[in-house]
CSV table of all heavy atoms in Angstrom, one decimal:
chain,number,residue,atom,x,y,z
A,21,ARG,N,25.9,70.4,-62.4
A,21,ARG,CA,24.8,70.3,-63.4
A,21,ARG,C,25.4,70.0,-64.8
A,21,ARG,O,26.2,70.8,-65.3
A,21,ARG,CB,23.9,71.5,-63.4
A,21,ARG,CG,23.3,71.9,-62.2
A,21,ARG,CD,23.0,73.5,-62.1
A,21,ARG,NE,24.2,74.3,-62.3
A,21,ARG,CZ,24.2,75.6,-62.3
A,21,ARG,NH1,23.0,76.2,-62.1
A,21,ARG,NH2,25.3,76.3,-62.5
A,44,ALA,N,25.0,60.4,-62.8
A,44,ALA,CA,24.5,60.1,-61.4
A,44,ALA,C,25.7,59.3,-60.6
A,44,ALA,O,25.9,59.6,-59.4
A,44,ALA,CB,23.3,59.1,-61.4
A,46,LEU,N,28.8,59.7,-60.9
A,46,LEU,CA,29.9,60.5,-60.6
A,46,LEU,C,29.5,61.7,-59.7
A,46,LEU,O,30.3,62.6,-59.4
A,46,LEU,CB,30.6,61.0,-61.8
A,46,LEU,CG,31.3,59.9,-62.7
A,46,LEU,CD1,31.8,60.4,-63.9
A,46,LEU,CD2,32.3,59.2,-61.8
A,52,THR,N,18.8,66.5,-70.0
A,52,THR,CA,18.8,66.1,-71.3
A,52,THR,C,18.1,67.0,-72.3
A,52,THR,O,17.1,67.7,-71.9
A,52,THR,CB,18.3,64.6,-71.5
A,52,THR,OG1,16.8,64.7,-71.3
A,52,THR,CG2,19.0,63.7,-70.6
A,62,THR,N,21.0,45.5,-78.2
A,62,THR,CA,22.5,45.2,-78.2
A,62,THR,C,22.9,44.7,-79.5
A,62,THR,O,24.1,44.6,-79.7
A,62,THR,CB,22.8,44.1,-77.1
A,62,THR,OG1,22.0,42.9,-77.5
A,62,THR,CG2,22.4,44.6,-75.7
A,73,PRO,N,14.1,70.3,-85.1
A,73,PRO,CA,15.2,71.4,-84.6
A,73,PRO,C,14.6,72.4,-83.5
A,73,PRO,O,15.1,72.7,-82.6
A,73,PRO,CB,15.7,72.1,-85.8
A,73,PRO,CG,15.5,71.1,-86.8
A,73,PRO,CD,14.2,70.3,-86.5
A,84,VAL,N,18.5,75.4,-69.5
A,84,VAL,CA,19.5,76.3,-69.2
A,84,VAL,C,19.0,77.6,-68.5
A,84,VAL,O,19.5,78.1,-67.5
A,84,VAL,CB,20.1,76.7,-70.5
A,84,VAL,CG1,21.2,77.9,-70.3
A,84,VAL,CG2,20.9,75.6,-71.2
A,103,VAL,N,22.8,70.5,-85.9
A,103,VAL,CA,24.2,70.9,-85.5
A,103,VAL,C,24.0,72.5,-85.3
A,103,VAL,O,24.6,73.1,-84.3
A,103,VAL,CB,25.2,70.6,-86.6
A,103,VAL,CG1,26.5,71.4,-86.3
A,103,VAL,CG2,25.4,69.2,-86.6
A,105,VAL,N,21.5,74.4,-84.5
A,105,VAL,CA,20.7,74.7,-83.4
A,105,VAL,C,21.5,74.6,-82.1
A,105,VAL,O,21.5,75.4,-81.2
A,105,VAL,CB,19.5,73.8,-83.2
A,105,VAL,CG1,18.9,73.8,-81.8
A,105,VAL,CG2,18.5,74.2,-84.3
A,111,GLY,N,26.3,79.4,-78.1
A,111,GLY,CA,26.7,80.8,-78.2
A,111,GLY,C,25.7,81.7,-77.4
A,111,GLY,O,26.1,82.7,-76.6
A,112,ARG,N,24.4,81.5,-77.5
A,112,ARG,CA,23.4,82.5,-76.9
A,112,ARG,C,23.5,82.3,-75.4
A,112,ARG,O,23.4,83.3,-74.7
A,112,ARG,CB,22.0,82.1,-77.3
A,112,ARG,CG,21.7,82.4,-78.8
A,112,ARG,CD,20.2,82.3,-79.0
A,112,ARG,NE,19.8,80.9,-79.1
A,112,ARG,CZ,19.1,80.3,-78.2
A,112,ARG,NH1,18.6,80.9,-77.1
A,112,ARG,NH2,18.8,78.9,-78.3
A,120,LEU,N,32.4,67.3,-76.9
A,120,LEU,CA,31.8,66.9,-78.1
A,120,LEU,C,32.3,65.5,-78.6
A,120,LEU,O,33.4,65.1,-78.9
A,120,LEU,CB,32.1,67.9,-79.4
A,120,LEU,CG,31.8,67.4,-80.7
A,120,LEU,CD1,30.2,67.4,-80.8
A,120,LEU,CD2,32.2,68.5,-81.8
A,122,PRO,N,31.8,63.1,-81.4
A,122,PRO,CA,31.2,63.1,-82.8
A,122,PRO,C,30.7,61.7,-83.2
A,122,PRO,O,31.3,60.9,-83.9
A,122,PRO,CB,32.4,63.5,-83.6
A,122,PRO,CG,33.5,63.0,-82.9
A,122,PRO,CD,33.3,63.0,-81.4
A,125,VAL,N,29.1,56.4,-85.9
A,125,VAL,CA,28.9,54.9,-86.1
A,125,VAL,C,28.5,54.3,-84.7
A,125,VAL,O,29.3,54.5,-83.8
A,125,VAL,CB,30.1,54.3,-86.8
A,125,VAL,CG1,29.8,52.7,-87.1
A,125,VAL,CG2,30.4,55.1,-88.1
A,128,SER,N,27.6,48.5,-83.2
A,128,SER,CA,27.3,47.5,-84.0
A,128,SER,C,27.7,47.7,-85.4
A,128,SER,O,27.6,46.7,-86.3
A,128,SER,CB,25.6,47.3,-83.9
A,128,SER,OG,25.2,48.6,-84.4
A,143,GLN,N,32.7,72.6,-88.7
A,143,GLN,CA,32.7,74.1,-88.8
A,143,GLN,C,32.1,74.8,-87.7
A,143,GLN,O,32.6,75.8,-87.2
A,143,GLN,CB,32.0,74.5,-90.1
A,143,GLN,CG,31.9,75.9,-90.4
A,143,GLN,CD,31.4,76.3,-91.7
A,143,GLN,OE1,30.8,75.4,-92.4
A,143,GLN,NE2,31.4,77.6,-92.2
A,156,LEU,N,38.6,55.8,-83.6
A,156,LEU,CA,39.5,55.8,-84.8
A,156,LEU,C,38.6,55.8,-86.0
A,156,LEU,O,38.9,56.4,-87.1
A,156,LEU,CB,40.3,54.5,-84.8
A,156,LEU,CG,41.3,54.5,-83.6
A,156,LEU,CD1,42.3,53.3,-83.9
A,156,LEU,CD2,42.2,55.8,-83.6
A,160,GLY,N,38.9,58.7,-88.6
A,160,GLY,CA,39.1,58.4,-90.0
A,160,GLY,C,38.2,59.0,-91.0
A,160,GLY,O,38.5,59.5,-92.1
A,198,ASP,N,47.2,44.0,-76.9
A,198,ASP,CA,46.8,43.7,-75.5
A,198,ASP,C,46.6,45.0,-74.6
A,198,ASP,O,46.2,45.0,-73.4
A,198,ASP,CB,47.9,42.9,-74.8
A,198,ASP,CG,48.0,41.5,-75.4
A,198,ASP,OD1,46.9,41.1,-75.8
A,198,ASP,OD2,48.9,40.9,-75.3
A,202,ASP,N,45.2,55.8,-75.7
A,202,ASP,CA,44.4,57.1,-76.1
A,202,ASP,C,45.5,58.2,-76.1
A,202,ASP,O,46.5,58.2,-75.3
A,202,ASP,CB,43.3,57.3,-75.2
A,202,ASP,CG,42.3,56.2,-75.1
A,202,ASP,OD1,42.2,55.5,-76.1
A,202,ASP,OD2,41.7,56.1,-74.0
A,217,PRO,N,45.8,48.2,-69.9
A,217,PRO,CA,45.6,46.7,-70.4
A,217,PRO,C,44.2,46.6,-71.0
A,217,PRO,O,43.2,47.2,-70.5
A,217,PRO,CB,45.8,45.9,-69.2
A,217,PRO,CG,46.6,46.7,-68.3
A,217,PRO,CD,46.2,48.1,-68.4
A,252,ALA,N,37.9,60.3,-65.8
A,252,ALA,CA,36.8,59.8,-66.7
A,252,ALA,C,37.4,58.4,-67.2
A,252,ALA,O,36.6,57.4,-67.2
A,252,ALA,CB,36.5,60.7,-67.7
A,254,SER,N,39.5,56.5,-65.9
A,254,SER,CA,39.6,55.5,-64.7
A,254,SER,C,38.3,55.0,-64.4
A,254,SER,O,38.1,53.8,-64.2
A,254,SER,CB,40.2,56.2,-63.5
A,254,SER,OG,40.1,55.4,-62.4
A,257,LEU,N,37.1,52.5,-67.3
A,257,LEU,CA,37.8,51.1,-67.1
A,257,LEU,C,37.2,50.3,-66.0
A,257,LEU,O,37.1,49.1,-66.0
A,257,LEU,CB,39.3,51.4,-66.9
A,257,LEU,CG,40.2,52.0,-68.0
A,257,LEU,CD1,41.5,52.3,-67.6
A,257,LEU,CD2,40.2,51.0,-69.1
A,258,GLY,N,36.8,51.0,-65.0
A,258,GLY,CA,36.2,50.3,-63.8
A,258,GLY,C,34.7,49.7,-64.2
A,258,GLY,O,34.4,48.7,-63.9
A,273,GLY,N,26.8,44.0,-75.2
A,273,GLY,CA,26.1,44.6,-73.9
A,273,GLY,C,26.7,45.9,-73.4
A,273,GLY,O,27.7,46.3,-73.9
A,276,ASN,N,28.8,48.5,-66.7
A,276,ASN,CA,28.3,48.5,-65.3
A,276,ASN,C,28.4,49.9,-64.8
A,276,ASN,O,29.5,50.2,-64.1
A,276,ASN,CB,28.9,47.5,-64.4
A,276,ASN,CG,28.2,47.5,-63.1
A,276,ASN,OD1,27.5,48.3,-62.8
A,276,ASN,ND2,28.5,46.4,-62.4
A,281,PRO,N,29.1,54.1,-57.2
A,281,PRO,CA,28.5,55.4,-57.2
A,281,PRO,C,28.9,56.2,-56.0
A,281,PRO,O,29.3,55.6,-55.0
A,281,PRO,CB,27.0,55.1,-57.2
A,281,PRO,CG,27.0,53.7,-56.5
A,281,PRO,CD,28.1,53.0,-56.9
Side-chain angles (χ1 to χ4, degrees):
R21 306 155 299 183
L46 295 175
T52 63
T62 64
V84 174
V103 171
V105 164
R112 283 188 295 109
L120 173 60
V125 182
S128 60
Q143 182 178 7
L156 295 188
D198 294 332
D202 305 328
S254 176
L257 290 172
N276 184 345

